[in-house]
Coordinates of all heavy atoms in Angstrom, one line a residue:
E1349 N -9.4 -161.1 93.3 CA -8.2 -161.9 93.7 C -7.5 -162.4 92.5 O -6.3 -162.5 92.4 CB -8.7 -163.1 94.5 CG -8.5 -162.9 96.0 CD -7.2 -162.2 96.4 OE1 -6.1 -162.7 96.2 OE2 -7.3 -161.0 96.9
E1432 N -4.2 -157.5 71.5 CA -3.6 -156.2 71.6 C -2.0 -156.4 71.6 O -1.3 -155.7 70.9 CB -4.0 -155.4 72.8 CG -3.3 -154.1 72.8 CD -4.0 -152.9 73.5 OE1 -4.8 -153.2 74.4 OE2 -3.8 -151.8 73.1
E1441 N 7.1 -154.2 64.6 CA 8.0 -154.9 63.6 C 8.0 -154.2 62.2 O 8.9 -154.2 61.5 CB 7.8 -156.4 63.5 CG 8.3 -157.2 64.7 CD 7.8 -158.6 64.7 OE1 7.1 -159.0 63.8 OE2 8.1 -159.2 65.8
L1453 N -0.3 -161.3 80.6 CA -0.7 -162.5 81.3 C -2.2 -162.4 81.5 O -2.7 -161.4 82.1 CB 0.0 -162.5 82.7 CG -0.4 -163.7 83.6 CD1 0.0 -165.0 83.0 CD2 0.3 -163.5 85.0
Q1484 N 0.6 -136.0 57.9 CA 1.3 -136.9 56.9 C 1.9 -138.0 57.7 O 2.0 -139.2 57.2 CB 2.4 -136.1 56.2 CG 1.7 -135.3 55.1 CD 2.7 -134.3 54.4 OE1 3.7 -133.9 55.0 NE2 2.3 -133.8 53.2
V1486 N 0.8 -139.4 60.4 CA -0.3 -140.3 60.8 C -0.7 -141.2 59.6 O -0.8 -142.4 59.8 CB -1.6 -139.5 61.3 CG1 -2.8 -140.4 61.4 CG2 -1.3 -138.8 62.6
E1497 N -0.5 -155.8 56.8 CA -1.8 -156.5 56.7 C -2.7 -156.4 57.9 O -3.4 -157.3 58.3 CB -1.6 -158.0 56.3 CG -0.8 -158.0 54.9 CD -0.7 -159.4 54.3 OE1 -1.0 -160.4 55.0 OE2 -0.4 -159.5 53.1
F1506 N -8.7 -140.0 69.5 CA -8.7 -140.5 70.9 C -7.6 -141.5 71.1 O -7.1 -141.7 72.2 CB -10.0 -141.2 71.2 CG -11.1 -140.3 71.5 CD1 -11.9 -139.7 70.4 CD2 -11.5 -140.0 72.8 CE1 -12.9 -138.9 70.6 CE2 -12.6 -139.1 73.0 CZ -13.3 -138.6 71.9
I1508 N -4.7 -141.7 69.2 CA -3.4 -141.3 68.7 C -2.9 -140.3 69.8 O -3.6 -139.4 70.2 CB -3.5 -140.5 67.3 CG1 -4.1 -141.4 66.3 CG2 -2.1 -140.0 66.9 CD1 -4.4 -140.7 64.9
E1527 N -7.7 -159.9 56.3 CA -8.6 -161.1 55.9 C -9.9 -161.0 56.7 O -10.8 -161.8 56.3 CB -7.9 -162.4 56.2 CG -6.8 -162.7 55.3 CD -5.9 -163.8 55.8 OE1 -6.2 -164.5 56.8 OE2 -4.8 -163.9 55.2
R1554 N -8.6 -135.0 52.7 CA -9.6 -135.8 51.9 C -9.5 -137.3 52.1 O -8.3 -137.8 52.0 CB -9.4 -135.4 50.4 CG -9.4 -134.0 50.1 CD -10.7 -133.5 49.5 NE -10.7 -132.0 49.4 CZ -10.6 -131.4 48.3 NH1 -10.4 -132.1 47.2 NH2 -10.6 -130.1 48.3

Side-chain angles (χ1 to χ4, degrees):
E1349 265 319 296
E1432 177 154 32
E1441 280 166 9
L1453 176 63
Q1484 283 170 342
V1486 168
E1497 300 188 347
F1506 286 81
I1508 300 172
E1527 288 164 12
R1554 307 258 171 101

